[in-house]
Amino acid sequence: MRCHRLNEILELLQPYWSKQPDLSLMQILVRIAKETGFEQDVTQLSDEVIIYHLKMYDMNKTAPIPGLQKDYEEDFKTALLKARGILK
């Protein structure tokens, strides 16, 4: 599991870091922490925060969150009827 997480972070970090190649890894992590609004010490920054931020970095701010798109319904009434099992 740890190996998968490491590979995912490295894969997501490459395009982000290539936009600021003069920064060190620690500076990149501090920048990610600031962009996410993380106010604690950067050593407390979790893998999940880094992964989520890097996944969402270049996406449209109004785009649905990855992983939730499959459950997304444009219409509230339809979503409510599906949740109650009336619609499939």
Side-chain angles (χ1 to χ4, degrees):
M1 182 65 180
R2 287 279 184 204
C3 190
H4 170 71
R5 186 178 290 180
L6 176 62
N7 290 336
E8 185 175 14
I9 288 175
L10 291 174
E11 182 180 311
L12 292 168
L13 192 59
Q14 193 275 332
Y16 183 88
W17 199 351
S18 66
K19 292 180 181 178
Q20 301 108 11
D22 55 319
L23 299 179
S24 69
L25 177 58
M26 207 55 216
Q27 290 170 319
I28 290 290
L29 293 176
V30 168
R31 180 173 286 206
I32 290 171
K34 284 182 183 177
E35 289 175 357
T36 61
F38 192 78
E39 296 178 357
Q40 298 174 10
D41 186 45
V42 73
T43 60
Q44 301 299 312
L45 190 63
S46 69
D47 299 346
E48 289 81 12
V49 171
I50 296 169
I51 291 169
Y52 177 78
H53 181 70
L54 293 173
K55 280 184 178 181
M56 297 299 290
Y57 182 69
D58 278 335
M59 294 185 72
N60 183 347
K61 300 300 180 201
T62 60
I65 297 170
L68 297 181
Q69 179 64 36
K70 62 181 175 47
D71 298 325
Y72 182 76
E73 287 291 338
E74 189 73 32
D75 178 35
F76 178 75
K77 183 179 175 182
T78 304
L80 187 60
L81 292 173
K82 282 185 177 181
R84 290 185 175 172
I86 297 170
L87 294 179
K88 292 185 181 189

